[in-house]
Each structure stands twice: as structure tokens, then as C-alpha cells.
Amino acid sequence: MSFRAAVLASVSGVAVSVSLAEAGHLGYWNNDDDFYVRLSYMVDFDQKRATTTGIPGLPGDGGMYCVPTSASNLMAYIDRHGYANNPFIDGPGLLDWTSSSTAVYNAATAYIDAMGDDMNTDPDDGTNNDNNQIRNAVRDRLNPLFFDVNYYARTDTWCPKAINIAKYMAQGGIVSFCYGRWNIDASGEGLSSRDSGHCITMTKVDKRAFMNYDDWEYVINYADPGSGGSSEFSQSDFAYRVETVEDFNYFVIQPGVYRRMSRIMFQGLSDDRHRIIDSAMAVFPKAGWAVYPTPNSMTFYTGSFVAGDGPGGVGLHTFQMPGEIGGCEVSPDRGFASVVTEPEAGGPAVLYHVDVMTGQTTPIASFAHRVPALTHHRDRTVLLAVDGDSTSPGQIRRYEMDTDLPSGSPRLEWSVNLPMGTSVVDLAFNDANDTLAALADTDGDGDADSIIDYGMDDDRIFPEGTHEIPAGSICCMESIDFDPDLGEYLVTDHEGGLVVRFATDAASGRLIETGRLALGAPIDGCSMGDGGRLYVLAGGVVSEWDTDGAGGFAPTADPSPMAGLPALRDFQISRSRTNFVAALHSGPQWNNFDPSELAPVRNATGECPADIAAPFELLDLADINAFVTGFLAQDPIADVNADGLFDLQDVTLFINSFLAGCP
């Protein structure tokens, strides 16, 4: 029995509020200085839950349970968006979580407790994430064919900021993030140590131009598990804290080498520590990208949080490039895209950073020779192959891609020469062991014949072995990928319409064929996703295939919204990814602190069901028109009471909310 089934059994007979598709993401994005992103109907569970007669509470009264509580908010949100009956998603169920019912309150407590168990949450210290269990506990509750769960935290050169979280939300993501209490040195710019932190759930990031915020200033709303009501035996009303965030340059490695980070500008604190956003876990609907609709354009296909949406529910964001695209890929955290253009008319090949919200392109590096392949390390850096010539070898290079890279940091982190006469056809990165696979032509005849494995660390890359592809198994190989579940290679003959899976024999190091798909038609893109699903682009349309248990593939019986999408070439599917490194992202400094140490709540807001159209946070005729249009079309945005019906109750609630004004 799933956890959800057990919960529903425990509250049998309790009235529930059912919604198959509530309105969730609202806002707009003109540019990085003028945007507004808001989630409606985000759950706001309380973490403080004490024990009394008939109420089990949480260990330690929940004082250290901010991480599992904020993660449970995300799972409840997913259930409220049409997935409550999905057997492959184990959320808390579809209940009225603001109900005064003790049974409902205990059901929420039980779910948070189970999430805490999976996260190894300690009632005295909190969740220090010693093996990335924060991300894994949420990922393991979701269907990997429909959702990605990404965890990204601060490094020596980058940190998730308010604007990154806003971009995750604008792509349909929901985000739980943490801020640390950082001790600051005498200069006011150096971070000396992190002294525990607190995790919350973002509901709004506001950077509307007419509000005249400072250049690096934002206003955020968030569900704070620690700022519930005075009772620890019942759920408080959902209310979202309102705070100002400002970006500052802090140095970590050495003075003068800065990293931009977002500081929450709390007031009423009794210490000098800075509260800085330093990790974010985002749950995304599945996404993909490809060269489409022209050779000079890349399209990013973002999914929907509404269950049952087909291709019509997938957002298509197309970016026009200055030249024909040689390779493109969205970054692992979905914060940007890396695109390389082909050399034209004697000009160079160029590597670009592309903003996934605006399409703005920033050149990162140029190359005298063609760049046949690129991929991303899970840490957001890009790995690419550069062709050589008769006098100089080809290379594999690693670049930092962030546009706000700290001053003094190099773009090119390292490079390694290929053997003379060897050229790379394609690259693939294996997150499981941080290795890079290069599909290579080692004899100079123009056809790939081997896979070269590379290991790497922070400042170098080194070959670990070369595997010759068995003769006769596949010819005219054009692309390579990893199966993220099995760690096996997938090599594709595009023209021959053939995909072959290879494993490495542990004793001999030789490649052994373990399966194949003979499509019988040319393939223009092939990508292996989580959950053992293969995505194949052929005839301009994406199709999906599952392993058939006999070493082959069969058309899937339950296609995702990606099935049937149009693309030109090089389609790739998103995966769950993380930059987690135990030495950086776990340990006592990542413990939590009790809600009694939170900054005082200065301002909080609730839902405003009538505020559904721009200009947001102002109720006017645009909201009325949006409601009427949505009501007639039975769009979830007009289902105000979230009961799955469009009736007089929705009209009445909208009118009452409109007349009352936004809180």
C-alpha cells in the first residue's frame, strides 16, 4: 500500500476538497529586470507539531523538520494538480489541509514524519543531507517519466539566487529552497562559515519594473514551515511571508574573487549573520529540447503541471541563433542553455550562453575549428570537443558558462589533447560516476569506431580507457548517450535507424551488446531518460519506447506529453540532476535551527483568487475578463474553489474576492 492509500484509509469519511487541475503558475517575463512569477494554492504545512492525546506529533515536536515539511508542501501541490490518483506518485493525498479535522492534521503529520525518515532527519540537528537524501526522498516519490527533481547548491563560483528560482518557477517548476546563517568577516564581504539553516517553499518572486526596485532587489513570498500559528496541535491558516531579497558579491576562496549571492533582508534579528539563499530543490514537469523549426533555432519544450495535458499543454520556447546550430543543450539545473554554432564563411564556431526565458545570447568562446559535440557536467559547466587539423590535435575542453562569473575566474577551466588523428563525433556525461564518454573516430577513416572514457576532477581530465565497438554490431555511428538507470551506453546510427545498447564487461573491458531498437527509418535524435524510457526523433516527430524485457524496445503504452512533439534534429530529454558533493553540501553546517530563532514576521499575505491577470496585485477589468473567459472555456484558472466544477460557487467566490481586494 502506498503512503497516500494509507492516509486516505485513515481519514475515511472526512470531507475533502478535490481538484483535478487548479490554477497554479501566474505571471510574465519581459526580461531579467521586469518579471513576476507567482504560484497559487501552494500548501503551507506547519513543522511544529507536538504530541498530545489523539495527536502523535513529530519527533522533537518538529523543531528540526523544516526540510521534510517544505518538501511535503511540494508533494501536496502535485497531488492538487491532478496526480492524486496516480499510482506511481506517492503524495499525501487530496485533502483539505486547512481543515480543523484532527484526522486530516494527523495525516499531514504522518506524511511529514515519513518524509523525515527518508531524509534521515534528526530531531536534534535536522537534515544535514549527508548522501543527498533531500533530493532522493522527493525523487523516489515521483514518476520519473513525468517529473524531474533537481537539487543545486552553492559552489565556489556559483550559488542559486532569487532570479534562478524565479526562472525555475517560470518553467513550471515548484521550488523548496534553503538559506544559511553565514558568519561574515570584518570586511563585510567574506563568508567565513555557515551556522545551520532553514528551508522554505517559494510562492512568488517579484521584479516588476514599475515598482522601481533597486538593480539587485526582489520581493519574495514563501511558505515558511516555522512561522505557523501559536498552536502546535492544529494546522494554522496558510499565509506566505513577504521579504525583500538583495544580491551581493561575497568572496569565499580569497579576497577579490567574488560570487554573487541572494541575501534575505530580515529585520529584527539579534545577530550579525547574513541569511543567504544557498540551495534549491526544484520539481519540474518533464522537458526536452531540439533544433527546431530551422537549423538556426533551438526550441525548449517545457511541460505542464496539469495531469492529462498532451502536446498542447507543453510550452515551446524558441531561441534564434546567429548561425546554424552545431549542438545545443539546456543546463542540468535548467537555468540556461549552451549552444554552439557552426563556422560559416571562414568565421569561427562560437559557444553561446542562452537565457532560457528571454533568448538573450552571450558569446562565451570562439574556435577556429568546428565543435562537433557538447554536453554538460552535472555541475553546470559545459564540456565540448573541438576538431584538430593536420598539425594540431583535437581537444576536449571544459568551460564555466555563468554570465555573472566571479571577477578573476577563468572561463576555460581545462583542456586535454586528443591523440593525433582522433576526432570526436559525440559526447555524453555519466552523472553516476562523473565520467565523460566520447564517441570517437580513432583511425581517421571518418567513421566512429570506439568509445573513450574520461575521468575528471576540478582541474583536469584524464583518459580511463578506450573500448572498441564490436565489428558488425552497428555502423555509421553518429551519437552516444548514457542510460541513467543502468549506466550503459546507447549508440545510434542515424541514417540506418538503429540504436544499440552496450555494457562494459568488467573482466575484459570489452563492450557487450545488451539490446537494440531497429526503427527501420532514419533517426534525427535519440535520448535516454530516467525510468528506462527512450525518446526517438524520426520523421520530424518524437516517439517514446520502453525496454521490452528481452533486450529490445517496444512503443510505450503510456506516452508522456513529449510524445508527438515536432522537432528537426538532436532531440534530448531532461533528467533529474544534482551538483551534490558531500564535502560541500553536507555536514553540521547544514543542520537546521529551531523556528524560535527565526526573524519576526513583518508582513504576510494569503491567496487572492481574483488576481489572475496582469497587472498583478491590482484587481481590475483584466481580472474580470480573464475569469469570464476561463469560466466559459472551463479553464482551471476559473475553478476558484478547486472542486473540479465550474458553477455559481466559483462566480460568487470570485466576486467576493474581487470586492474584498488582495490581502
Side-chain angles (χ1 to χ4, degrees):
M1 178 182 288
S2 70
F3 190 92
R4 181 196 291 123
V7 165
L8 293 179
S10 73
V11 296
S12 177
V14 177
V16 300
S17 174
V18 178
S19 168
L20 294 181
E22 292 180 6
H25 292 67
L26 298 168
Y28 70 91
W29 199 293
N30 286 334
N31 54 60
D32 288 0
D33 295 313
D34 184 19
F35 65 84
Y36 179 92
V37 184
R38 188 179 93 230
L39 296 182
S40 59
Y41 304 107
M42 176 55 74
V43 176
D44 181 22
F45 287 132
D46 296 336
Q47 72 177 85
K48 291 289 285 184
R49 293 169 180 263
T51 302
T52 190
T53 303
I55 296 177
L58 288 171
D61 294 342
M64 295 291 135
Y65 272 67
C66 62
V67 180
T69 305
S70 58
S72 297
N73 288 344
L74 303 184
M75 295 302 303
Y77 181 94
I78 292 169
D79 268 354
R80 295 183 71 178
H81 285 74
Y83 291 91
N85 297 315
N86 189 309
F88 302 105
I89 294 174
D90 198 9
L94 195 57
L95 303 176
D96 179 5
W97 298 114
T98 60
S99 166
S100 60
S101 163
T102 299
V104 171
Y105 182 75
N106 287 346
T109 301
Y111 190 83
I112 296 167
D113 192 18
M115 183 74 77
D117 287 344
D118 290 346
M119 291 181 171
N120 296 333
T121 299
D122 184 277
D124 297 318
D125 297 323
T127 312
N128 67 27
N129 207 29
D130 55 357
N131 61 4
N132 203 24
Q133 67 267 22
I134 293 176
R135 195 277 306 251
N136 296 342
V138 175
R139 182 196 60 186
D140 293 347
R141 284 171 162 78
L142 292 170
N143 187 338
L145 302 178
F146 290 86
F147 291 100
D148 296 326
V149 183
N150 294 347
Y151 175 87
Y152 276 81
R154 65 97 180 171
T155 66
D156 288 336
T157 59
W158 176 83
C159 190
K161 299 177 288 296
I163 192 169
N164 299 110
I165 295 173
K167 289 182 178 181
Y168 302 157
M169 294 166 64
Q171 296 172 42
I174 52 177
V175 184
S176 170
F177 69 100
C178 303
Y179 63 84
R181 300 189 297 190
W182 285 86
N183 295 306
I184 308 298
D185 69 5
S187 72
E189 297 179 321
L191 304 182
S192 58
S193 62
R194 188 186 197 269
D195 181 15
S196 68
H198 186 62
C199 295
I200 51 192
T201 310
M202 190 74 87
T203 62
K204 184 186 83 172
V205 183
D206 182 2
K207 184 68 171 174
R208 290 170 292 168
F210 70 83
M211 296 296 290
N212 296 317
Y213 297 127
D214 290 340
D215 287 347
W216 300 105
E217 182 183 21
Y218 311 85
V219 170
I220 65 172
N221 291 5
Y222 59 87
D224 190 334
S227 59
S230 58
S231 173
E232 296 182 6
F233 308 110
S234 62
Q235 172 66 45
S236 65
D237 292 336
F238 291 179
Y240 310 125
R241 289 190 62 157
V242 181
E243 296 291 347
T244 299
V245 170
E246 293 185 24
D247 288 350
F248 291 90
N249 286 328
Y250 294 97
F251 61 79
V252 181
I253 307 172
Q254 60 189 31
V257 180
Y258 293 95
R259 173 182 56 199
R260 187 170 293 279
M261 305 174 78
S262 291
R263 178 187 175 189
I264 305 177
M265 307 302 292
F266 290 118
Q267 296 184 14
L269 292 166
S270 59
D271 62 68
D272 295 327
R273 292 173 294 196
H274 289 195
R275 274 64 175 174
I276 299 172
I277 297 173
D278 52 15
S279 68
M281 177 173 63
V283 178
F284 292 103
K286 211 70 178 174
W289 53 89
V291 178
Y292 178 77
T294 72
N296 289 35
S297 53
M298 171 189 176
T299 292
F300 182 28
Y301 309 86
T302 56
S304 167
F305 248 106
V306 178
D309 273 359
V314 175
L316 274 65
H317 308 276
T318 299
F319 315 125
Q320 194 69 24
M321 300 304 298
E324 182 174 345
I325 294 174
C328 60
E329 187 172 288
V330 173
S331 67
D333 73 321
R334 300 205 198 176
F336 62 91
S338 298
V339 180
V340 66
T341 55
E342 299 278 13
E344 296 181 355
V350 181
L351 172 65
Y352 291 94
H353 173 287
V354 181
D355 188 301
V356 293
M357 295 309 304
T358 66
Q360 178 179 348
T361 59
T362 302
I364 300 298
S366 60
F367 313 92
H369 298 293
R370 182 172 176 267
V371 178
L374 67 78
T375 190
H376 284 99
H377 191 292
R378 64 185 181 88
D379 68 1
R380 304 171 76 254
T381 57
V382 73
L383 303 159
L384 53 80
V386 183
D387 281 347
D389 55 30
S390 59
T391 60
S392 59
Q395 290 186 324
I396 295 176
R397 301 182 183 182
R398 181 178 181 178
Y399 284 88
E400 284 279 2
M401 294 296 293
D402 288 300
T403 54
D404 61 351
L405 198 65
S407 59
S409 298
R411 284 285 182 195
L412 177 61
E413 291 196 335
W414 44 248
S415 63
V416 61
N417 289 340
L418 297 167
M420 283 296 296
T422 294
S423 59
V424 170
V425 176
D426 197 18
L427 296 171
F429 189 80
N430 187 351
D431 287 10
N433 55 15
D434 287 347
T435 57
L436 179 71
L439 180 63
D441 170 15
T442 63
D443 57 15
D445 67 356
D447 290 328
D449 51 60
S450 301
I451 297 173
I452 306 174
D453 284 335
Y454 290 91
M456 63 188 69
D457 53 30
D458 289 340
D459 55 9
R460 66 189 183 107
I461 182 172
F462 43 89
E464 291 189 328
T466 299
H467 312 286
E468 185 177 344
I469 295 173
S473 61
I474 185 171
C475 68
C476 308
M477 294 164 283
E478 298 177 60
S479 66
I480 187 171
D481 200 1
F482 275 109
D483 183 326
D485 296 327
L486 301 178
E488 296 180 349
Y489 309 102
L490 287 103
V491 179
T492 304
D493 170 4
H494 286 206
E495 186 174 348
L498 183 64
V499 182
V500 179
R501 186 200 300 266
F502 292 104
T504 305
D505 180 72
S508 66
R510 294 178 179 176
L511 296 179
I512 302 171
E513 181 178 332
T514 59
R516 64 172 49 206
L517 167 65
L519 191 65
I523 293 174
D524 298 308
C526 180
S527 181
M528 194 73 181
D530 297 314
R533 180 160 294 181
L534 183 67
Y535 299 78
V536 176
L537 173 63
V541 177
V542 176
S543 61
E544 299 180 359
W545 303 74
D546 291 329
T547 53
D548 62 8
F553 295 89
T556 181
D558 57 339
S560 78
M562 296 293 117
L565 288 176
L568 189 62
R569 59 176 171 85
D570 299 341
F571 178 83
Q572 295 182 62
I573 194 71
S574 61
R575 299 171 179 167
S576 292
R577 304 190 73 177
T578 177
N579 71 344
F580 175 79
V581 176
L584 278 178
H585 305 137
S586 65
Q589 67 270 26
W590 290 88
N591 287 349
N592 304 120
F593 58 84
D594 190 87
S596 61
E597 301 176 52
L598 289 171
V601 178
R602 293 184 300 143
N603 191 12
T605 185
E607 290 286 356
C608 186
D611 185 23
I612 57 176
F616 293 102
E617 304 195 16
L618 173 67
L619 299 181
D620 59 10
L621 185 60
D623 298 295
I624 296 174
N625 289 336
F627 175 78
V628 172
T629 301
F631 188 89
L632 294 175
Q634 296 197 3
D635 188 304
I637 201 170
D639 183 16
V640 180
N641 65 350
D643 64 357
L645 302 175
F646 297 85
D647 54 21
L648 184 60
Q649 291 187 39
D650 297 303
V651 176
T652 302
L653 289 170
F654 177 83
I655 293 172
N656 290 342
S657 173
F658 189 92
L659 294 176
C662 289

